[in-house]
Amino acid sequence: DTAVSQTPKYLVTQMGNDKSIKCEQNLGHDTMYWYKQDSKKFLKIMFSYNNKELIINETVPNRFSPKSPDKAHLNLHINSLELGDSAVYFCASSQTAGEGSEQYFGPGTRLTVT
Amino acid sequence: GDSVTQMEGPVTLSEEAFLTINCTYTATGYPSLFWYVQYPGEGLQLLLKATKADDKGSNKGFEATYRKETTSFHLEKGSVQVSDSAVYFCALSGYGNKLVFGAGTILRVKS
């Protein structure tokens, strides 16, 4: 059983399109995250949700909108895709939002914008 | 703000060589520290962690000690294998448990 799963694994789309990435965790965790990994492998947090409430919203364009329908799911919708959005997007979850709570990562979604 | 600096790679070693990847951090207070590993085409896996000064995290032959006085968390392994080839990330846990990552260090082990 995959602990943190993401769909799709690969996403190729054109500039200007709107797309969504889905994430599910079956660990019973309260907190979920989205991270972006750029082409140089640098990882940066985008958002986090705790019990469906947004608690971290880093400096991310408002074309990106996360949604958490329940504690086990965190989706990422991206409007008007740009070339610079090409990256690998990782979902993660942790038991709590408390400092030091271990995060478990999904396999990533590689988004390519052409 | 919080930040993590780790040595640039790639680091290329022969099998059974000793590995050190340096990591230092800047943070308010004493955050938890982590090493994550990313194998090609995969997500990140937690390798080890330490939550307070002088704690030593260890896993699969890798070790790192939380040094408050030098704000460091260097990763070491006594004898690397080809299967250890991956990208290694040092990270700290900040506000809201967000992970702040270093730039990653590519490790290549030759047989």
Side-chain angles (χ1 to χ4, degrees), chain B residues 4 14 23 32 35 38 43 45 55 58 69 73 82 88-89 92-93 103 107 109-110:
Chain B
V4 174
S14 297
C23 171
S32 294
W35 278 101
Q38 185 178 27
Q45 298 176 26
D55 262 3
S58 60
E69 58 280 359
F73 192 55
V82 172
Y88 292 81
F89 292 93
L92 64 79
S93 172
L107 171 65
V109 180
K110 303 183 300 186

mmCIF file of all heavy atoms in Angstrom, chain B residues 4 14 23 32 35 38 43 45 55 58 69 73 82 88-89 92-93 103 107 109-110:
data_model
loop_
_atom_site.group_PDB
_atom_site.id
_atom_site.type_symbol
_atom_site.label_atom_id
_atom_site.label_comp_id
_atom_site.label_asym_id
_atom_site.label_seq_id
_atom_site.Cartn_x
_atom_site.Cartn_y
_atom_site.Cartn_z
ATOM 1 N N VAL B 4 19.735 26.620 5.055
ATOM 2 C CA VAL B 4 20.623 25.464 5.151
ATOM 3 C C VAL B 4 21.629 25.545 4.013
ATOM 4 O O VAL B 4 21.251 25.790 2.857
ATOM 5 C CB VAL B 4 19.824 24.148 5.051
ATOM 6 C CG1 VAL B 4 20.765 22.948 5.009
ATOM 7 C CG2 VAL B 4 18.850 24.024 6.212
ATOM 8 N N SER B 14 35.003 6.114 -4.741
ATOM 9 C CA SER B 14 35.089 4.686 -5.063
ATOM 10 C C SER B 14 34.369 3.902 -3.983
ATOM 11 O O SER B 14 34.241 4.358 -2.835
ATOM 12 C CB SER B 14 36.550 4.249 -5.143
ATOM 13 O OG SER B 14 37.200 4.928 -6.185
ATOM 14 N N CYS B 23 27.031 20.025 6.191
ATOM 15 C CA CYS B 23 25.781 20.768 6.247
ATOM 16 C C CYS B 23 25.843 21.726 7.430
ATOM 17 O O CYS B 23 26.158 21.301 8.550
ATOM 18 C CB CYS B 23 24.600 19.818 6.413
ATOM 19 S SG CYS B 23 23.027 20.647 6.764
ATOM 20 N N SER B 32 14.674 20.927 14.599
ATOM 21 C CA SER B 32 15.028 19.550 14.268
ATOM 22 C C SER B 32 15.755 19.555 12.925
ATOM 23 O O SER B 32 15.475 20.391 12.059
ATOM 24 C CB SER B 32 13.769 18.686 14.167
ATOM 25 O OG SER B 32 13.142 18.577 15.424
ATOM 26 N N TRP B 35 18.297 14.518 7.327
ATOM 27 C CA TRP B 35 18.885 14.183 6.035
ATOM 28 C C TRP B 35 17.872 13.350 5.266
ATOM 29 O O TRP B 35 17.354 12.351 5.789
ATOM 30 C CB TRP B 35 20.187 13.397 6.189
ATOM 31 C CG TRP B 35 21.371 14.274 6.445
ATOM 32 C CD1 TRP B 35 21.977 14.528 7.636
ATOM 33 C CD2 TRP B 35 22.106 15.013 5.462
ATOM 34 N NE1 TRP B 35 23.030 15.390 7.458
ATOM 35 C CE2 TRP B 35 23.137 15.695 6.143
ATOM 36 C CE3 TRP B 35 22.008 15.167 4.070
ATOM 37 C CZ2 TRP B 35 24.062 16.517 5.478
ATOM 38 C CZ3 TRP B 35 22.920 15.967 3.414
ATOM 39 C CH2 TRP B 35 23.933 16.649 4.117
ATOM 40 N N GLN B 38 17.300 11.147 -2.165
ATOM 41 C CA GLN B 38 16.452 11.016 -3.359
ATOM 42 C C GLN B 38 17.189 10.172 -4.390
ATOM 43 O O GLN B 38 18.207 10.603 -4.945
ATOM 44 C CB GLN B 38 16.115 12.395 -3.935
ATOM 45 C CG GLN B 38 15.153 12.347 -5.107
ATOM 46 C CD GLN B 38 14.786 13.729 -5.628
ATOM 47 O OE1 GLN B 38 15.548 14.686 -5.502
ATOM 48 N NE2 GLN B 38 13.606 13.849 -6.203
ATOM 49 N N GLY B 43 10.841 9.863 -5.153
ATOM 50 C CA GLY B 43 10.603 10.911 -4.171
ATOM 51 C C GLY B 43 11.677 10.893 -3.089
ATOM 52 O O GLY B 43 12.650 10.148 -3.171
ATOM 53 N N GLN B 45 13.209 10.227 0.628
ATOM 54 C CA GLN B 45 13.059 9.315 1.756
ATOM 55 C C GLN B 45 13.831 9.883 2.934
ATOM 56 O O GLN B 45 14.967 10.340 2.769
ATOM 57 C CB GLN B 45 13.646 7.942 1.415
ATOM 58 C CG GLN B 45 12.985 7.235 0.259
ATOM 59 C CD GLN B 45 13.697 5.935 -0.063
ATOM 60 O OE1 GLN B 45 14.338 5.327 0.796
ATOM 61 N NE2 GLN B 45 13.595 5.509 -1.307
ATOM 62 N N ASP B 55 22.355 15.131 19.779
ATOM 63 C CA ASP B 55 21.691 13.921 19.298
ATOM 64 C C ASP B 55 22.454 13.396 18.095
ATOM 65 O O ASP B 55 22.899 14.162 17.248
ATOM 66 C CB ASP B 55 20.267 14.242 18.807
ATOM 67 C CG ASP B 55 19.218 13.943 19.845
ATOM 68 O OD1 ASP B 55 19.576 13.536 20.977
ATOM 69 O OD2 ASP B 55 18.035 14.113 19.516
ATOM 70 N N SER B 58 21.053 7.982 13.071
ATOM 71 C CA SER B 58 21.771 6.971 12.302
ATOM 72 C C SER B 58 20.783 6.054 11.609
ATOM 73 O O SER B 58 19.680 5.795 12.111
ATOM 74 C CB SER B 58 22.710 6.163 13.191
ATOM 75 O OG SER B 58 21.976 5.505 14.196
ATOM 76 N N GLU B 69 27.062 24.144 18.698
ATOM 77 C CA GLU B 69 28.122 25.149 18.765
ATOM 78 C C GLU B 69 28.640 25.550 17.386
ATOM 79 O O GLU B 69 29.054 26.696 17.175
ATOM 80 C CB GLU B 69 29.276 24.670 19.655
ATOM 81 C CG GLU B 69 29.930 23.379 19.242
ATOM 82 C CD GLU B 69 29.160 22.120 19.650
ATOM 83 O OE1 GLU B 69 28.100 22.225 20.292
ATOM 84 O OE2 GLU B 69 29.615 21.029 19.282
ATOM 85 N N PHE B 73 25.431 19.706 10.872
ATOM 86 C CA PHE B 73 24.792 18.377 10.913
ATOM 87 C C PHE B 73 25.381 17.589 9.743
ATOM 88 O O PHE B 73 24.699 17.237 8.798
ATOM 89 C CB PHE B 73 23.269 18.547 10.792
ATOM 90 C CG PHE B 73 22.471 17.314 11.102
ATOM 91 C CD1 PHE B 73 22.618 16.641 12.307
ATOM 92 C CD2 PHE B 73 21.516 16.848 10.199
ATOM 93 C CE1 PHE B 73 21.862 15.520 12.602
ATOM 94 C CE2 PHE B 73 20.753 15.733 10.485
ATOM 95 C CZ PHE B 73 20.918 15.073 11.686
ATOM 96 N N VAL B 82 27.873 1.288 -4.248
ATOM 97 C CA VAL B 82 27.325 1.844 -5.492
ATOM 98 C C VAL B 82 25.859 2.220 -5.306
ATOM 99 O O VAL B 82 25.381 3.237 -5.818
ATOM 100 C CB VAL B 82 27.506 0.853 -6.655
ATOM 101 C CG1 VAL B 82 26.774 1.339 -7.890
ATOM 102 C CG2 VAL B 82 28.989 0.651 -6.965
ATOM 103 N N TYR B 88 21.522 13.820 -1.857
ATOM 104 C CA TYR B 88 21.310 13.918 -0.414
ATOM 105 C C TYR B 88 20.978 15.361 -0.053
ATOM 106 O O TYR B 88 21.684 16.295 -0.455
ATOM 107 C CB TYR B 88 22.560 13.432 0.338
ATOM 108 C CG TYR B 88 22.766 11.948 0.170
ATOM 109 C CD1 TYR B 88 23.375 11.437 -0.975
ATOM 110 C CD2 TYR B 88 22.320 11.047 1.138
ATOM 111 C CE1 TYR B 88 23.525 10.074 -1.158
ATOM 112 C CE2 TYR B 88 22.475 9.685 0.977
ATOM 113 C CZ TYR B 88 23.075 9.207 -0.180
ATOM 114 O OH TYR B 88 23.217 7.844 -0.357
ATOM 115 N N PHE B 89 19.900 15.511 0.723
ATOM 116 C CA PHE B 89 19.435 16.835 1.131
ATOM 117 C C PHE B 89 19.482 16.953 2.650
ATOM 118 O O PHE B 89 18.915 16.113 3.356
ATOM 119 C CB PHE B 89 17.990 17.059 0.684
ATOM 120 C CG PHE B 89 17.799 17.157 -0.792
ATOM 121 C CD1 PHE B 89 17.479 16.031 -1.534
ATOM 122 C CD2 PHE B 89 17.923 18.369 -1.441
ATOM 123 C CE1 PHE B 89 17.295 16.113 -2.907
ATOM 124 C CE2 PHE B 89 17.739 18.472 -2.811
ATOM 125 C CZ PHE B 89 17.425 17.330 -3.538
ATOM 126 N N LEU B 92 16.086 21.521 7.715
ATOM 127 C CA LEU B 92 15.653 21.822 9.074
ATOM 128 C C LEU B 92 14.145 22.047 9.066
ATOM 129 O O LEU B 92 13.548 22.367 8.032
ATOM 130 C CB LEU B 92 16.399 23.022 9.643
ATOM 131 C CG LEU B 92 16.221 24.405 8.994
ATOM 132 C CD1 LEU B 92 14.930 25.105 9.405
ATOM 133 C CD2 LEU B 92 17.401 25.305 9.385
ATOM 134 N N SER B 93 13.570 21.877 10.232
ATOM 135 C CA SER B 93 12.130 22.024 10.385
ATOM 136 C C SER B 93 11.853 23.404 10.969
ATOM 137 O O SER B 93 12.263 23.702 12.086
ATOM 138 C CB SER B 93 11.613 20.936 11.324
ATOM 139 O OG SER B 93 10.262 21.142 11.639
ATOM 140 N N ALA B 103 20.704 22.811 -0.890
ATOM 141 C CA ALA B 103 20.630 22.690 -2.354
ATOM 142 C C ALA B 103 20.772 21.259 -2.853
ATOM 143 O O ALA B 103 20.561 21.002 -4.037
ATOM 144 C CB ALA B 103 21.687 23.576 -2.998
ATOM 145 N N LEU B 107 25.781 12.400 -5.005
ATOM 146 C CA LEU B 107 26.836 11.438 -4.673
ATOM 147 C C LEU B 107 26.887 10.374 -5.756
ATOM 148 O O LEU B 107 25.861 9.762 -6.077
ATOM 149 C CB LEU B 107 26.567 10.774 -3.327
ATOM 150 C CG LEU B 107 27.489 9.600 -2.973
ATOM 151 C CD1 LEU B 107 28.927 10.077 -2.811
ATOM 152 C CD2 LEU B 107 27.014 8.882 -1.710
ATOM 153 N N VAL B 109 29.000 6.893 -6.677
ATOM 154 C CA VAL B 109 29.935 5.892 -6.169
ATOM 155 C C VAL B 109 30.281 4.952 -7.312
ATOM 156 O O VAL B 109 29.399 4.368 -7.941
ATOM 157 C CB VAL B 109 29.329 5.101 -4.997
ATOM 158 C CG1 VAL B 109 30.328 4.075 -4.482
ATOM 159 C CG2 VAL B 109 28.894 6.048 -3.884
ATOM 160 N N LYS B 110 31.581 4.825 -7.568
ATOM 161 C CA LYS B 110 32.061 3.972 -8.668
ATOM 162 C C LYS B 110 32.531 2.639 -8.113
ATOM 163 O O LYS B 110 33.152 2.591 -7.036
ATOM 164 C CB LYS B 110 33.230 4.651 -9.377
ATOM 165 C CG LYS B 110 32.920 6.032 -9.927
ATOM 166 C CD LYS B 110 34.111 6.608 -10.680
ATOM 167 C CE LYS B 110 35.320 6.735 -9.775
ATOM 168 N NZ LYS B 110 36.445 7.414 -10.450
#
